[in-house]
Amino acid sequence: SEMCIRDRAQSKIYAKSPFFSCITTNVDGQIATGSENGDIRLYKQVNQNAKNLFSGLGDYIHSLDCTKNGKWLLATCDKYLLLIPTFSEGKNGYLTSLGKEKPTPVRLQLKPEDKMKYAILKENFTPARFDESQSGQESFIVSSIGQYLITWSLKHIITGKKFDYDIKKLPDKICLLYTSDAADDLLCVDLGGRRIIKKK
């Protein structure tokens, strides 16, 4: 049938499983996938080979998020986050191979002294997210470990200040993070069914 033909045209068969673990799309419908071995792939569309492969560090990728303009991709592993530039020298990594111009992902993690200070014995980041802003320009990254809410300034990371983050302790373990598109200064946190709103 027509539906079957359309579905078949939008599929991709792999000779060997890439062990995908998560997927996200940007506003233009371009696709990024994460895998169990840490590899991240960028695709123009479903029925094509990946335009770029960012080899991982061997750690399972739990989630992916991307900025509205598609220029930044955020991956969450248990012990760290990866911020990945998807453009290089004006080239879109979803549309063309970046080759030797492929940028290096930025690894985001807690400083050893902060893990000791806050008695964080086991790192287990919740899925990290970019903020939703009415201006359309993301300004920070948010994740959590247990009761600790952790935010990074995207601007600071881009300028090399990847350890310049903020930690706040909340009353309960954080289950879900999301940002409000109704107001640029609000951050919503789900504490196991009880929602609270924090100022950014």
Side-chain angles (χ1 to χ4, degrees):
S1 67
E2 181 183 351
M3 180 62 72
C4 291
I5 293 172
R6 187 184 302 117
D7 288 346
R8 194 177 301 122
Q10 292 299 315
S11 65
K12 171 68 178 175
I13 299 175
Y14 289 86
K16 184 179 179 181
S17 173
F19 297 102
F20 292 142
S21 58
C22 54
I23 187 171
T24 191
T25 61
N26 60 25
V27 294
D28 295 319
Q30 294 148 3
I31 302 161
T33 63
S35 66
E36 296 177 8
N37 65 359
D39 289 345
I40 294 171
R41 294 173 172 85
L42 305 183
Y43 298 83
K44 179 181 179 181
Q45 58 190 55
V46 173
N47 59 344
Q48 295 184 357
N49 291 326
K51 296 297 183 181
N52 288 283
L53 166 65
F54 292 86
S55 298
L57 303 175
D59 296 309
Y60 192 105
I61 296 178
H62 294 283
S63 72
L64 291 171
D65 193 25
C66 64
T67 55
K68 291 184 180 67
N69 62 16
K71 291 186 177 181
W72 296 94
L73 186 65
L74 183 62
T76 304
C77 299
D78 281 335
K79 296 183 179 181
Y80 59 89
L81 313 178
L82 288 175
L83 180 64
I84 304 162
T86 59
F87 279 61
S88 180
E89 302 296 329
K91 295 181 181 179
N92 184 340
Y94 290 98
L95 302 181
T96 185
S97 173
L98 300 178
K100 294 181 179 179
E101 298 174 353
K102 189 186 304 178
T104 302
V106 180
R107 179 167 170 158
L108 304 175
Q109 59 190 90
L110 299 183
K111 294 179 286 189
E113 54 265 36
D114 282 335
K115 288 189 283 186
M116 292 182 62
K117 177 181 178 180
Y118 296 103
I120 299 175
L121 302 179
K122 183 179 180 181
E123 294 170 281
N124 191 9
F125 281 104
T126 57
R129 295 286 180 258
F130 292 106
D131 62 308
E132 294 279 348
S133 174
Q134 287 182 309
S135 67
Q137 183 69 44
E138 294 84 350
S139 59
F140 74 94
I141 291 168
V142 60
S143 186
S144 66
I145 297 176
Q147 294 176 251
Y148 294 98
L149 183 69
I150 307 161
T151 56
W152 285 263
S153 163
L154 187 55
K155 181 179 179 180
H156 288 175
I157 297 170
I158 293 172
T159 57
K161 302 175 182 177
K162 64 180 184 178
F163 287 111
D164 189 4
Y165 51 77
D166 180 64
I167 299 181
K168 293 180 181 178
K169 186 175 182 180
L170 299 182
D172 300 297
K173 183 178 179 180
I174 299 168
C175 298
L176 178 66
L177 296 168
Y178 57 101
T179 50
S180 172
D181 57 5
D184 283 346
D185 62 341
L186 298 181
L187 173 66
C188 303
V189 184
D190 190 325
L191 304 176
R194 182 166 62 88
R195 297 179 180 179
I196 65 173
I197 296 177
K198 302 286 289 183
K199 287 286 184 179
K200 291 179 185 176

